[in-house]
Amino acid sequence: MKWIEKYTNTIVETVSLLFVVLFIYAATSKVMDFHGFKVQLGQSPILEEHVVWVAWLVPVVEYALALLLLVEGFRTMALYGSFALMVMFTTYITLLLNFSDHIPCSCGGVLESLRWKEHLIFNMFFVLAALFSILLSTDRPKKIRFK
């Protein structure tokens, strides 16, 4: 048995739990300072017209994904959602860094103290972790062996 086959479940569960902690922490930080979160979003040239619904949608999606990641039957779907959300966050940061003079940070908590390059590395780690877990948890056809 190959190492990866032996530890697939452990890897997927560990990555899922890391996402659960990340999403619950991030969503709770946003909800606890909802006004500040909304103000920060309003300063974004990309989101200024959509502040109200984005301010509600982001923590709701984070909480929903955290819950779905805990349920084995929904885990793969939630990993796809986590991957998509982290790609969106990373794309948003990249767009702000490259095309905006003012870069508001609406992350909250410890993540707010990261510099932008560190934040991108942090996000890329989670993007790659989600992708790796998706690849491990997706059923793939078995190799055909001839005797």
Side-chain angles (χ1 to χ4, degrees), residues 113-134:
S113 65
L114 294 177
R115 289 187 225 132
W116 288 108
K117 186 175 181 180
E118 294 165 340
H119 204 107
L120 282 173
I121 292 168
F122 179 87
N123 281 19
M124 287 307 300
F125 167 80
F126 276 94
V127 166
L128 293 173
L131 182 60
F132 186 59
S133 295
I134 288 167

Side-chain angles (χ1 to χ4, degrees), residues 28-70:
T28 302
S29 294
K30 291 171 181 113
V31 170
M32 297 292 284
D33 184 20
F34 189 73
H35 177 74
F37 174 58
K38 211 161 67 169
V39 167
Q40 289 288 336
L41 285 178
Q43 294 174 355
S44 166
I46 297 172
L47 299 174
E48 62 190 345
E49 295 179 23
H50 311 286
V51 169
V52 175
W53 68 269
V54 170
W56 283 105
L57 184 65
V58 171
V60 167
V61 168
E62 289 172 332
Y63 280 131
L65 286 172
L67 180 65
L68 291 172
L69 284 163
L70 293 172

Side-chain angles (χ1 to χ4, degrees), residues 76-129:
T76 301
M77 179 185 69
L79 283 167
Y80 276 103
S82 301
F83 173 77
L85 189 62
M86 292 308 295
V87 166
M88 285 189 277
F89 288 159
T90 306
T91 302
Y92 171 73
I93 292 170
T94 303
L95 289 172
L96 285 178
L97 286 172
N98 289 307
F99 299 107
S100 179
D101 295 328
H102 176 67
I103 306 169
C105 182
S106 54
C107 304
V110 170
L111 299 177
E112 198 170 23
S113 65
L114 294 177
R115 289 187 225 132
W116 288 108
K117 186 175 181 180
E118 294 165 340
H119 204 107
L120 282 173
I121 292 168
F122 179 87
N123 281 19
M124 287 307 300
F125 167 80
F126 276 94
V127 166
L128 293 173

